[in-house]
Amino acid sequence: MVLPRISFRSFIFFFMAAAAIIAAGVAFYWQQVSGILEQDVKTHVAAASEEAAADFNRLIQTDRQVLESISITVEDTYPWADPAKLTEFLRRQTRHNYFKLLGVVTEDGKVFLSEPRRFSPTFIADVTARTLEAGHYLSVLQADPSDGEDVLVQSVSLRRHGRPVGALFALQPPERYRPLLALSAMGNKGYSLVVERSGVPVLGYHKPDFGNMFDLLEGVSFDGKMTLPDLRSAVLNGAHFMVGYRDGGERRFLHFIPLEINDWYMISALPTLYVEHQAQHLTWLSLILFVSIFIIFCALIFYILHMRAYSNRQLFDTAFVDQLTGADNFNRMCEQFEEKLAGLNRRAALIIFDINKFKVINDLHGYERGNQVLQRVARVLRENIAPEECFCRSTADNFVLLLKYTDRKSFRARLSALTTQLRRDCTVEDSCLMIDVAFGVYEVAEDIPFYIMLDRAHLALENAKKMSFDKCQFYDESDRKRIVNEKRIENTMEQALDHGDFAVYLQPKCDFATGEMRGAEALVRWNRLEEGLVKPDDFIPIFEKNGFILRLDMFILEEVARLLAAWNIKGLEQVPVAVNFSRLHLNDSRYIPQMLRLVDKYGVAHNLIEVELTESVIFNNLERAQNVMRGLHRQGFSVAMDDFGSGYSSLNVLKSLQFDSIKLDKEFLSGFEDNPHAHKVIEGAVAMIKSLDVQVVAEGVETREQADFLRHTGCDLAQGYYFSRPLPAAEFERLLKKNTPQTQPPDGTKRVD
Ligand code: C2E
Ligand code: CA
Ligand code: CA
């Protein structure tokens, strides 16, 4: 199966389309990934910040419980009569419990500290008041009054019998709580902050460098329809929520979680930059993956296309290239013929070119050399062929060429030059064997199919091969007509024989001296419906080629035998009848037996049948002719040599064979009147034949002069229109009935009417 070809343009289009789809895919993927990541981050931020808030609450709670448990011991030593003991206890507790400092303030304003410090009375009063107000207290970040370091102050009240007697307070370094605000799960990109509802920062992962959180959010745009006042009131109402906002180019999320202490809030913040980085990272990875797959895919397609082109080329080569010579093969010629012909504006000639007796080269020099010759021929043709022309090797030593054609003269000159080059360049080395080529040319004149043109060139080639030199023949329309006619004849001959369309005509042979009919020659006629009576010259040569003559001759013989038998029955004179037999019978061993069978079937005396064999047949097969003649004589048939003098008459033939009669060819008489030599030749020939004691029959006697002359030379019998044309059997029988002698021609010769 041949796959459809993909052009380079559609490949590029496909490539661009694939690239565009990939780009769109990446963009879509980017968007999706960003969305998913953002959602993911929100969930993470929420979870992480919830956890941080819970931890923060728990730690504060734990520290307060620690303070409360210390306070129980402190309460037990009320009214703290031994300050040194209390101070020592406080110092010990400080060391064990991550406090920077522990202090006890009594209701009457005395202060006991875990280590000596000086606090302002305001600080002490403030802590005491706040603690006693709520029972416990946690301050915002503030400076340690003694050394200025950041601290948180946490305190619980001291009671005695249900009555507040003072406060236990601790200074705590903020580092204890800061790790909870790191939001470490977010790759340290986010942080949390503890603020009061008013927005004032309490504690941050870093030390807050602003006075109010809400001031920082001034002018930013929040997601959805949220405004800064909305946010403020949400915080004041203790709402638990998350919001995204954009500040300049940067986008963040804020998670607001109310804490359990002091109406504080924990706010966790994460810049979406983190998300974008993650998305970018992922997208790049995917892009690289996509592109790699795409490249592999393209490489694969390219490979497939390449392989396909390669296998197409292989297929093309096997289908269209002659493996021996590398030239186009016949299929290729058929395929491109019309296109090439159009390219030459139909001013072209189709040539079949053949190496004569190529088989001899193979036989004498081996196939290897034979192949070499063919390869060289192909090379020479390739050199001599213009790009718009073409040629192929069609069969073993046959090449078909389609060449530009202008006029016959220059075309002949071109082929002649080609022949010279072929002879020079393609001759087998180390041998005197020159290749001999023949060209059959069809000038493209009609709009007919390629195979018909090819037939015509073939016909021309057949004629060219018959020539002895300059073997180049142009197709002639009459050749075609001849062939068509031959075909028609061949197609109808069998039927014609069965239907009795062949008829016997009889032409009398007359005695010169008396004019009496002495015999006849049987001549075949073909009664064709559309053409009427057809003369044998039109079909005998064809029947000789295809062998049908063997049957036809026997048919004529049988007809003759039947006539002779009928004449006998009718009481008519049985004159000997000559039947023409083709040369093909000489090589047929059944010839004489068949004759006998037919003649005997009608009980006809053998001496009434005369066999006419043409001179050329006898000359070519002297020995066979001798054998056959002997056989015929043995059976009592007489034998005549037909057409004596028409071809290579050899006196040797006359010497070697014993003929009963010899028929002088009618050509002897042509130009007889104006040619004095002709008289002498005929006289000599007749005298010579008569001297061999063989009967002489003159054929083609048409005029009285000819008849007079021939009678005078001593010819025995005359056959010719002057005496009678060949007649249908019925007419001939009428002549027989009139009985001899027939009407006397003038001057002593007798004519048959
Ligand atoms: P052929 O055997 O030489 O026959 C004589 C031919 O000369 C006949 O032509 C005849 O009609 C013709 N002819 C007779 N008198 C004259 C004349 O005065 N002037 C001219 N110009 N021609 C004359 P036809 O019948 O056309 O036969 C042609 C040839 O066909 C015969 O030549 C013979 O060779 C062959 N032929 C005819 N019948 C048969 C047959 O049954 N078998 C075979 N094998 N060949 C036959
Ligand atoms: Ca004859
Ligand atoms: Ca003859």
Side-chain angles (χ1 to χ4, degrees), residues 507 521-525 535-537 540 549 553 556 580-582 612 642-643 666 699-702 719-721 726:
Q507 187 175 30
E521 180 180 3
L523 295 163
V524 67
R525 296 288 180 267
K535 295 270 220 128
D537 287 340
I540 295 278
I549 191 70
D553 284 350
I556 298 295
N580 292 283
F581 285 98
S582 160
E612 283 195 18
D642 202 358
D643 302 339
K666 35 187 185 292
E699 275 190 314
V701 185
E702 293 181 344
Q719 186 183 340
Y721 297 163

PDB file of all heavy atoms in Angstrom, residues 507 521-525 535-537 540 549 553 556 580-582 612 642-643 666 699-702 719-721 726, ligand 1:
ATOM      1  N   GLN A 507      -9.077 -23.326 -64.449  1.00  0.00           N
ATOM      2  CA  GLN A 507      -8.622 -22.642 -65.664  1.00  0.00           C
ATOM      3  C   GLN A 507      -8.103 -23.697 -66.648  1.00  0.00           C
ATOM      4  O   GLN A 507      -7.209 -24.489 -66.318  1.00  0.00           O
ATOM      5  CB  GLN A 507      -7.513 -21.643 -65.341  1.00  0.00           C
ATOM      6  CG  GLN A 507      -7.149 -20.801 -66.555  1.00  0.00           C
ATOM      7  CD  GLN A 507      -6.141 -19.717 -66.242  1.00  0.00           C
ATOM      8  OE1 GLN A 507      -5.304 -19.881 -65.352  1.00  0.00           O
ATOM      9  NE2 GLN A 507      -6.193 -18.621 -66.991  1.00  0.00           N
ATOM     10  N   GLU A 521      -6.246 -26.169 -64.312  1.00  0.00           N
ATOM     11  CA  GLU A 521      -5.585 -25.908 -63.027  1.00  0.00           C
ATOM     12  C   GLU A 521      -6.648 -25.435 -62.056  1.00  0.00           C
ATOM     13  O   GLU A 521      -7.471 -24.577 -62.389  1.00  0.00           O
ATOM     14  CB  GLU A 521      -4.496 -24.835 -63.159  1.00  0.00           C
ATOM     15  CG  GLU A 521      -3.812 -24.572 -61.813  1.00  0.00           C
ATOM     16  CD  GLU A 521      -2.708 -23.516 -61.859  1.00  0.00           C
ATOM     17  OE1 GLU A 521      -2.483 -22.923 -62.933  1.00  0.00           O
ATOM     18  OE2 GLU A 521      -2.093 -23.274 -60.814  1.00  0.00           O
ATOM     19  N   ALA A 522      -6.609 -26.020 -60.852  1.00  0.00           N
ATOM     20  CA  ALA A 522      -7.578 -25.606 -59.818  1.00  0.00           C
ATOM     21  C   ALA A 522      -7.014 -24.404 -59.068  1.00  0.00           C
ATOM     22  O   ALA A 522      -5.896 -24.452 -58.580  1.00  0.00           O
ATOM     23  CB  ALA A 522      -7.826 -26.749 -58.854  1.00  0.00           C
ATOM     24  N   LEU A 523      -7.831 -23.357 -59.047  1.00  0.00           N
ATOM     25  CA  LEU A 523      -7.393 -22.124 -58.352  1.00  0.00           C
ATOM     26  C   LEU A 523      -8.451 -21.757 -57.334  1.00  0.00           C
ATOM     27  O   LEU A 523      -9.643 -21.787 -57.631  1.00  0.00           O
ATOM     28  CB  LEU A 523      -7.211 -20.993 -59.372  1.00  0.00           C
ATOM     29  CG  LEU A 523      -6.093 -21.225 -60.383  1.00  0.00           C
ATOM     30  CD1 LEU A 523      -6.243 -20.301 -61.585  1.00  0.00           C
ATOM     31  CD2 LEU A 523      -4.714 -21.038 -59.751  1.00  0.00           C
ATOM     32  N   VAL A 524      -7.990 -21.457 -56.158  1.00  0.00           N
ATOM     33  CA  VAL A 524      -8.952 -21.204 -55.089  1.00  0.00           C
ATOM     34  C   VAL A 524      -9.481 -19.771 -55.152  1.00  0.00           C
ATOM     35  O   VAL A 524      -8.784 -18.848 -55.571  1.00  0.00           O
ATOM     36  CB  VAL A 524      -8.313 -21.507 -53.712  1.00  0.00           C
ATOM     37  CG1 VAL A 524      -7.203 -20.524 -53.395  1.00  0.00           C
ATOM     38  CG2 VAL A 524      -9.361 -21.488 -52.598  1.00  0.00           C
ATOM     39  N   ARG A 525     -10.765 -19.625 -54.772  1.00  0.00           N
ATOM     40  CA  ARG A 525     -11.370 -18.297 -54.635  1.00  0.00           C
ATOM     41  C   ARG A 525     -12.081 -18.260 -53.297  1.00  0.00           C
ATOM     42  O   ARG A 525     -12.656 -19.270 -52.859  1.00  0.00           O
ATOM     43  CB  ARG A 525     -12.395 -18.035 -55.755  1.00  0.00           C
ATOM     44  CG  ARG A 525     -11.795 -17.989 -57.153  1.00  0.00           C
ATOM     45  CD  ARG A 525     -10.972 -16.698 -57.344  1.00  0.00           C
ATOM     46  NE  ARG A 525     -10.392 -16.635 -58.684  1.00  0.00           N
ATOM     47  CZ  ARG A 525      -9.172 -17.084 -58.968  1.00  0.00           C
ATOM     48  NH1 ARG A 525      -8.424 -17.681 -58.057  1.00  0.00           N
ATOM     49  NH2 ARG A 525      -8.685 -16.946 -60.187  1.00  0.00           N
ATOM     50  N   LYS A 535      -9.113 -12.911 -54.587  1.00  0.00           N
ATOM     51  CA  LYS A 535      -8.085 -13.707 -55.283  1.00  0.00           C
ATOM     52  C   LYS A 535      -7.079 -14.263 -54.291  1.00  0.00           C
ATOM     53  O   LYS A 535      -6.828 -13.656 -53.257  1.00  0.00           O
ATOM     54  CB  LYS A 535      -7.346 -12.806 -56.288  1.00  0.00           C
ATOM     55  CG  LYS A 535      -8.233 -12.314 -57.414  1.00  0.00           C
ATOM     56  CD  LYS A 535      -8.180 -13.304 -58.569  1.00  0.00           C
ATOM     57  CE  LYS A 535      -8.153 -12.544 -59.899  1.00  0.00           C
ATOM     58  NZ  LYS A 535      -7.080 -12.945 -60.741  1.00  0.00           N
ATOM     59  N   PRO A 536      -6.476 -15.380 -54.621  1.00  0.00           N
ATOM     60  CA  PRO A 536      -5.591 -16.038 -53.639  1.00  0.00           C
ATOM     61  C   PRO A 536      -4.386 -15.215 -53.213  1.00  0.00           C
ATOM     62  O   PRO A 536      -3.903 -15.386 -52.103  1.00  0.00           O
ATOM     63  CB  PRO A 536      -5.143 -17.312 -54.344  1.00  0.00           C
ATOM     64  CG  PRO A 536      -5.703 -17.285 -55.699  1.00  0.00           C
ATOM     65  CD  PRO A 536      -6.660 -16.155 -55.844  1.00  0.00           C
ATOM     66  N   ASP A 537      -3.878 -14.339 -54.078  1.00  0.00           N
ATOM     67  CA  ASP A 537      -2.693 -13.567 -53.673  1.00  0.00           C
ATOM     68  C   ASP A 537      -2.928 -12.788 -52.376  1.00  0.00           C
ATOM     69  O   ASP A 537      -1.980 -12.468 -51.668  1.00  0.00           O
ATOM     70  CB  ASP A 537      -2.277 -12.593 -54.790  1.00  0.00           C
ATOM     71  CG  ASP A 537      -1.635 -13.348 -55.959  1.00  0.00           C
ATOM     72  OD1 ASP A 537      -1.198 -14.490 -55.709  1.00  0.00           O
ATOM     73  OD2 ASP A 537      -1.601 -12.807 -57.085  1.00  0.00           O
ATOM     74  N   ILE A 540      -3.330 -16.280 -49.586  1.00  0.00           N
ATOM     75  CA  ILE A 540      -2.412 -17.429 -49.542  1.00  0.00           C
ATOM     76  C   ILE A 540      -1.137 -17.128 -48.727  1.00  0.00           C
ATOM     77  O   ILE A 540      -0.751 -17.939 -47.883  1.00  0.00           O
ATOM     78  CB  ILE A 540      -2.056 -17.909 -50.979  1.00  0.00           C
ATOM     79  CG1 ILE A 540      -3.318 -18.436 -51.676  1.00  0.00           C
ATOM     80  CG2 ILE A 540      -0.950 -18.958 -50.955  1.00  0.00           C
ATOM     81  CD1 ILE A 540      -3.717 -19.836 -51.374  1.00  0.00           C
ATOM     82  N   ILE A 549      -2.757 -23.060 -44.827  1.00  0.00           N
ATOM     83  CA  ILE A 549      -2.700 -23.481 -46.228  1.00  0.00           C
ATOM     84  C   ILE A 549      -2.725 -25.008 -46.355  1.00  0.00           C
ATOM     85  O   ILE A 549      -3.249 -25.558 -47.324  1.00  0.00           O
ATOM     86  CB  ILE A 549      -1.436 -22.887 -46.919  1.00  0.00           C
ATOM     87  CG1 ILE A 549      -1.481 -23.069 -48.433  1.00  0.00           C
ATOM     88  CG2 ILE A 549      -0.165 -23.493 -46.354  1.00  0.00           C
ATOM     89  CD1 ILE A 549      -2.519 -22.227 -49.094  1.00  0.00           C
ATOM     90  N   ASP A 553      -5.288 -26.472 -48.961  1.00  0.00           N
ATOM     91  CA  ASP A 553      -4.866 -27.247 -50.141  1.00  0.00           C
ATOM     92  C   ASP A 553      -5.590 -28.596 -50.204  1.00  0.00           C
ATOM     93  O   ASP A 553      -6.030 -29.045 -51.271  1.00  0.00           O
ATOM     94  CB  ASP A 553      -3.345 -27.475 -50.125  1.00  0.00           C
ATOM     95  CG  ASP A 553      -2.581 -26.223 -50.535  1.00  0.00           C
ATOM     96  OD1 ASP A 553      -3.237 -25.263 -51.016  1.00  0.00           O
ATOM     97  OD2 ASP A 553      -1.349 -26.182 -50.384  1.00  0.00           O
ATOM     98  N   ILE A 556      -9.069 -28.110 -51.342  1.00  0.00           N
ATOM     99  CA  ILE A 556      -9.152 -27.931 -52.794  1.00  0.00           C
ATOM    100  C   ILE A 556      -8.987 -29.291 -53.499  1.00  0.00           C
ATOM    101  O   ILE A 556      -9.724 -29.621 -54.430  1.00  0.00           O
ATOM    102  CB  ILE A 556      -8.078 -26.933 -53.290  1.00  0.00           C
ATOM    103  CG1 ILE A 556      -8.300 -25.546 -52.647  1.00  0.00           C
ATOM    104  CG2 ILE A 556      -8.058 -26.826 -54.825  1.00  0.00           C
ATOM    105  CD1 ILE A 556      -9.599 -24.857 -53.049  1.00  0.00           C
ATOM    106  N   ASN A 580      -2.502 -26.869 -56.812  1.00  0.00           N
ATOM    107  CA  ASN A 580      -1.319 -26.202 -56.244  1.00  0.00           C
ATOM    108  C   ASN A 580      -1.107 -26.661 -54.804  1.00  0.00           C
ATOM    109  O   ASN A 580      -2.049 -26.695 -54.018  1.00  0.00           O
ATOM    110  CB  ASN A 580      -1.506 -24.688 -56.240  1.00  0.00           C
ATOM    111  CG  ASN A 580      -1.523 -24.129 -57.648  1.00  0.00           C
ATOM    112  OD1 ASN A 580      -0.485 -23.983 -58.276  1.00  0.00           O
ATOM    113  ND2 ASN A 580      -2.717 -23.857 -58.181  1.00  0.00           N
ATOM    114  N   PHE A 581       0.124 -27.015 -54.487  1.00  0.00           N
ATOM    115  CA  PHE A 581       0.454 -27.376 -53.098  1.00  0.00           C
ATOM    116  C   PHE A 581       1.562 -26.477 -52.572  1.00  0.00           C
ATOM    117  O   PHE A 581       2.563 -26.244 -53.236  1.00  0.00           O
ATOM    118  CB  PHE A 581       0.850 -28.852 -53.000  1.00  0.00           C
ATOM    119  CG  PHE A 581      -0.348 -29.768 -53.091  1.00  0.00           C
ATOM    120  CD1 PHE A 581      -0.692 -30.384 -54.286  1.00  0.00           C
ATOM    121  CD2 PHE A 581      -1.137 -29.985 -51.958  1.00  0.00           C
ATOM    122  CE1 PHE A 581      -1.807 -31.202 -54.368  1.00  0.00           C
ATOM    123  CE2 PHE A 581      -2.252 -30.805 -52.045  1.00  0.00           C
ATOM    124  CZ  PHE A 581      -2.597 -31.417 -53.237  1.00  0.00           C
ATOM    125  N   SER A 582       1.335 -26.029 -51.389  1.00  0.00           N
ATOM    126  CA  SER A 582       2.303 -25.114 -50.762  1.00  0.00           C
ATOM    127  C   SER A 582       3.590 -25.847 -50.384  1.00  0.00           C
ATOM    128  O   SER A 582       3.583 -27.068 -50.192  1.00  0.00           O
ATOM    129  CB  SER A 582       1.676 -24.517 -49.509  1.00  0.00           C
ATOM    130  OG  SER A 582       2.675 -24.031 -48.660  1.00  0.00           O
ATOM    131  N   GLU A 612       1.178 -29.290 -58.448  1.00  0.00           N
ATOM    132  CA  GLU A 612       2.026 -28.152 -58.853  1.00  0.00           C
ATOM    133  C   GLU A 612       2.841 -27.682 -57.665  1.00  0.00           C
ATOM    134  O   GLU A 612       2.291 -27.359 -56.609  1.00  0.00           O
ATOM    135  CB  GLU A 612       1.161 -26.990 -59.385  1.00  0.00           C
ATOM    136  CG  GLU A 612       0.667 -27.243 -60.796  1.00  0.00           C
ATOM    137  CD  GLU A 612       0.136 -25.976 -61.478  1.00  0.00           C
ATOM    138  OE1 GLU A 612       0.448 -24.862 -61.020  1.00  0.00           O
ATOM    139  OE2 GLU A 612      -0.599 -26.129 -62.473  1.00  0.00           O
ATOM    140  N   ASP A 642       5.994 -25.284 -61.115  1.00  0.00           N
ATOM    141  CA  ASP A 642       5.230 -24.063 -61.362  1.00  0.00           C
ATOM    142  C   ASP A 642       6.178 -22.873 -61.404  1.00  0.00           C
ATOM    143  O   ASP A 642       7.248 -22.885 -60.802  1.00  0.00           O
ATOM    144  CB  ASP A 642       4.213 -23.895 -60.223  1.00  0.00           C
ATOM    145  CG  ASP A 642       3.049 -23.019 -60.625  1.00  0.00           C
ATOM    146  OD1 ASP A 642       3.055 -22.521 -61.762  1.00  0.00           O
ATOM    147  OD2 ASP A 642       2.136 -22.834 -59.784  1.00  0.00           O
ATOM    148  N   ASP A 643       5.772 -21.863 -62.136  1.00  0.00           N
ATOM    149  CA  ASP A 643       6.480 -20.567 -62.148  1.00  0.00           C
ATOM    150  C   ASP A 643       7.951 -20.684 -62.553  1.00  0.00           C
ATOM    151  O   ASP A 643       8.812 -20.001 -62.004  1.00  0.00           O
ATOM    152  CB  ASP A 643       6.407 -19.880 -60.774  1.00  0.00           C
ATOM    153  CG  ASP A 643       4.979 -19.646 -60.340  1.00  0.00           C
ATOM    154  OD1 ASP A 643       4.088 -19.633 -61.218  1.00  0.00           O
ATOM    155  OD2 ASP A 643       4.740 -19.468 -59.127  1.00  0.00           O
ATOM    156  N   LYS A 666       4.466 -16.530 -66.057  1.00  0.00           N
ATOM    157  CA  LYS A 666       3.880 -15.532 -66.964  1.00  0.00           C
ATOM    158  C   LYS A 666       4.799 -14.325 -67.143  1.00  0.00           C
ATOM    159  O   LYS A 666       4.686 -13.597 -68.114  1.00  0.00           O
ATOM    160  CB  LYS A 666       2.487 -15.065 -66.541  1.00  0.00           C
ATOM    161  CG  LYS A 666       2.204 -14.943 -65.080  1.00  0.00           C
ATOM    162  CD  LYS A 666       0.724 -14.632 -64.872  1.00  0.00           C
ATOM    163  CE  LYS A 666       0.385 -14.370 -63.417  1.00  0.00           C
ATOM    164  NZ  LYS A 666       0.506 -15.563 -62.589  1.00  0.00           N
ATOM    165  N   GLU A 699       2.206 -20.172 -69.230  1.00  0.00           N
ATOM    166  CA  GLU A 699       1.180 -19.522 -68.387  1.00  0.00           C
ATOM    167  C   GLU A 699       1.027 -18.082 -68.810  1.00  0.00           C
ATOM    168  O   GLU A 699       1.942 -17.471 -69.352  1.00  0.00           O
ATOM    169  CB  GLU A 699       1.621 -19.526 -66.925  1.00  0.00           C
ATOM    170  CG  GLU A 699       1.292 -20.790 -66.183  1.00  0.00           C
ATOM    171  CD  GLU A 699       1.543 -20.596 -64.689  1.00  0.00           C
ATOM    172  OE1 GLU A 699       2.604 -20.049 -64.314  1.00  0.00           O
ATOM    173  OE2 GLU A 699       0.680 -21.011 -63.904  1.00  0.00           O
ATOM    174  N   GLY A 700      -0.117 -17.520 -68.541  1.00  0.00           N
ATOM    175  CA  GLY A 700      -0.333 -16.078 -68.750  1.00  0.00           C
ATOM    176  C   GLY A 700      -0.391 -15.690 -70.209  1.00  0.00           C
ATOM    177  O   GLY A 700       0.015 -14.569 -70.554  1.00  0.00           O
ATOM    178  N   VAL A 701      -0.909 -16.548 -71.046  1.00  0.00           N
ATOM    179  CA  VAL A 701      -1.011 -16.211 -72.469  1.00  0.00           C
ATOM    180  C   VAL A 701      -2.242 -15.323 -72.649  1.00  0.00           C
ATOM    181  O   VAL A 701      -3.362 -15.764 -72.406  1.00  0.00           O
ATOM    182  CB  VAL A 701      -1.138 -17.481 -73.337  1.00  0.00           C
ATOM    183  CG1 VAL A 701      -1.131 -17.119 -74.822  1.00  0.00           C
ATOM    184  CG2 VAL A 701      -0.016 -18.456 -73.023  1.00  0.00           C
ATOM    185  N   GLU A 702      -1.966 -14.105 -73.051  1.00  0.00           N
ATOM    186  CA  GLU A 702      -3.084 -13.152 -73.084  1.00  0.00           C
ATOM    187  C   GLU A 702      -3.431 -12.691 -74.498  1.00  0.00           C
ATOM    188  O   GLU A 702      -4.529 -12.207 -74.742  1.00  0.00           O
ATOM    189  CB  GLU A 702      -2.733 -11.924 -72.216  1.00  0.00           C
ATOM    190  CG  GLU A 702      -2.634 -12.268 -70.729  1.00  0.00           C
ATOM    191  CD  GLU A 702      -2.306 -11.085 -69.852  1.00  0.00           C
ATOM    192  OE1 GLU A 702      -1.859 -10.044 -70.389  1.00  0.00           O
ATOM    193  OE2 GLU A 702      -2.481 -11.189 -68.635  1.00  0.00           O
ATOM    194  N   GLN A 719      -2.004 -21.858 -71.056  1.00  0.00           N
ATOM    195  CA  GLN A 719      -2.962 -21.501 -69.992  1.00  0.00           C
ATOM    196  C   GLN A 719      -2.946 -19.987 -69.921  1.00  0.00           C
ATOM    197  O   GLN A 719      -1.902 -19.373 -69.786  1.00  0.00           O
ATOM    198  CB  GLN A 719      -2.513 -22.110 -68.665  1.00  0.00           C
ATOM    199  CG  GLN A 719      -3.509 -21.905 -67.545  1.00  0.00           C
ATOM    200  CD  GLN A 719      -2.984 -22.472 -66.220  1.00  0.00           C
ATOM    201  OE1 GLN A 719      -2.079 -23.318 -66.230  1.00  0.00           O
ATOM    202  NE2 GLN A 719      -3.543 -22.006 -65.126  1.00  0.00           N
ATOM    203  N   GLY A 720      -4.083 -19.387 -70.128  1.00  0.00           N
ATOM    204  CA  GLY A 720      -4.079 -17.920 -70.106  1.00  0.00           C
ATOM    205  C   GLY A 720      -5.417 -17.368 -70.495  1.00  0.00           C
ATOM    206  O   GLY A 720      -6.300 -18.092 -70.977  1.00  0.00           O
ATOM    207  N   TYR A 721      -5.592 -16.091 -70.240  1.00  0.00           N
ATOM    208  CA  TYR A 721      -6.879 -15.443 -70.489  1.00  0.00           C
ATOM    209  C   TYR A 721      -7.255 -15.496 -71.970  1.00  0.00           C
ATOM    210  O   TYR A 721      -8.417 -15.441 -72.336  1.00  0.00           O
ATOM    211  CB  TYR A 721      -6.846 -13.974 -70.032  1.00  0.00           C
ATOM    212  CG  TYR A 721      -6.621 -13.788 -68.550  1.00  0.00           C
ATOM    213  CD1 TYR A 721      -6.228 -12.557 -68.037  1.00  0.00           C
ATOM    214  CD2 TYR A 721      -6.828 -14.841 -67.650  1.00  0.00           C
ATOM    215  CE1 TYR A 721      -6.035 -12.357 -66.687  1.00  0.00           C
ATOM    216  CE2 TYR A 721      -6.628 -14.654 -66.303  1.00  0.00           C
ATOM    217  CZ  TYR A 721      -6.226 -13.418 -65.821  1.00  0.00           C
ATOM    218  OH  TYR A 721      -6.035 -13.254 -64.512  1.00  0.00           O
ATOM    219  N   PRO A 726      -9.996 -18.400 -65.378  1.00  0.00           N
ATOM    220  CA  PRO A 726     -10.422 -19.456 -64.442  1.00  0.00           C
ATOM    221  C   PRO A 726     -11.938 -19.403 -64.307  1.00  0.00           C
ATOM    222  O   PRO A 726     -12.515 -18.327 -64.236  1.00  0.00           O
ATOM    223  CB  PRO A 726      -9.736 -19.067 -63.128  1.00  0.00           C
ATOM    224  CG  PRO A 726      -8.581 -18.216 -63.529  1.00  0.00           C
ATOM    225  CD  PRO A 726      -9.034 -17.465 -64.737  1.00  0.00           C
TER     226      PRO A 726
HETATM  227  P1  C2E B   1      -0.273 -19.828 -60.177  1.00  0.00           P
HETATM  228  O1  C2E B   1      -0.239 -21.184 -59.690  1.00  0.00           O
HETATM  229  O2  C2E B   1       0.830 -19.329 -61.009  1.00  0.00           O
HETATM  230  O3  C2E B   1      -1.648 -19.634 -60.910  1.00  0.00           O
HETATM  231  C1  C2E B   1      -1.839 -18.950 -62.041  1.00  0.00           C
HETATM  232  C2  C2E B   1      -2.301 -17.569 -61.777  1.00  0.00           C
HETATM  233  O4  C2E B   1      -2.249 -16.817 -62.990  1.00  0.00           O
HETATM  234  C3  C2E B   1      -3.758 -17.524 -61.359  1.00  0.00           C
HETATM  235  O5  C2E B   1      -3.931 -16.447 -60.457  1.00  0.00           O
HETATM  236  C4  C2E B   1      -4.474 -17.206 -62.644  1.00  0.00           C
HETATM  237  O6  C2E B   1      -5.738 -16.616 -62.480  1.00  0.00           O
HETATM  238  C5  C2E B   1      -3.506 -16.260 -63.301  1.00  0.00           C
HETATM  239  N1  C2E B   1      -3.660 -16.229 -64.787  1.00  0.00           N
HETATM  240  C6  C2E B   1      -4.106 -17.169 -65.634  1.00  0.00           C
HETATM  241  N2  C2E B   1      -4.086 -16.710 -66.961  1.00  0.00           N
HETATM  242  C7  C2E B   1      -3.601 -15.434 -66.874  1.00  0.00           C
HETATM  243  C8  C2E B   1      -3.335 -14.456 -67.887  1.00  0.00           C
HETATM  244  O7  C2E B   1      -3.544 -14.611 -69.136  1.00  0.00           O
HETATM  245  N3  C2E B   1      -2.838 -13.306 -67.507  1.00  0.00           N
HETATM  246  C9  C2E B   1      -2.548 -13.057 -66.153  1.00  0.00           C
HETATM  247  N4  C2E B   1      -2.057 -11.882 -65.809  1.00  0.00           N
HETATM  248  N5  C2E B   1      -2.806 -13.964 -65.171  1.00  0.00           N
HETATM  249  C10 C2E B   1      -3.323 -15.151 -65.557  1.00  0.00           C
HETATM  250  P2  C2E B   1      -4.674 -16.648 -59.181  1.00  0.00           P
HETATM  251  O8  C2E B   1      -5.830 -17.534 -59.344  1.00  0.00           O
HETATM  252  O9  C2E B   1      -4.892 -15.299 -58.636  1.00  0.00           O
HETATM  253  O10 C2E B   1      -3.652 -17.442 -58.296  1.00  0.00           O
HETATM  254  C11 C2E B   1      -2.496 -16.855 -57.857  1.00  0.00           C
HETATM  255  C12 C2E B   1      -1.603 -17.825 -57.227  1.00  0.00           C
HETATM  256  O11 C2E B   1      -2.184 -18.319 -56.019  1.00  0.00           O
HETATM  257  C13 C2E B   1      -1.363 -19.066 -58.022  1.00  0.00           C
HETATM  258  O12 C2E B   1      -0.421 -18.830 -58.961  1.00  0.00           O
HETATM  259  C14 C2E B   1      -0.916 -20.030 -57.003  1.00  0.00           C
HETATM  260  O13 C2E B   1       0.441 -19.920 -56.743  1.00  0.00           O
HETATM  261  C15 C2E B   1      -1.695 -19.605 -55.812  1.00  0.00           C
HETATM  262  N6  C2E B   1      -2.839 -20.496 -55.638  1.00  0.00           N
HETATM  263  C16 C2E B   1      -4.046 -20.423 -56.213  1.00  0.00           C
HETATM  264  N7  C2E B   1      -4.843 -21.428 -55.735  1.00  0.00           N
HETATM  265  C17 C2E B   1      -4.074 -22.118 -54.853  1.00  0.00           C
HETATM  266  C18 C2E B   1      -4.305 -23.269 -54.043  1.00  0.00           C
HETATM  267  O14 C2E B   1      -5.364 -23.907 -54.067  1.00  0.00           O
HETATM  268  N8  C2E B   1      -3.284 -23.723 -53.260  1.00  0.00           N
HETATM  269  C19 C2E B   1      -2.073 -23.075 -53.249  1.00  0.00           C
HETATM  270  N9  C2E B   1      -1.142 -23.545 -52.468  1.00  0.00           N
HETATM  271  N10 C2E B   1      -1.832 -22.005 -54.001  1.00  0.00           N
HETATM  272  C20 C2E B   1      -2.827 -21.537 -54.803  1.00  0.00           C
END
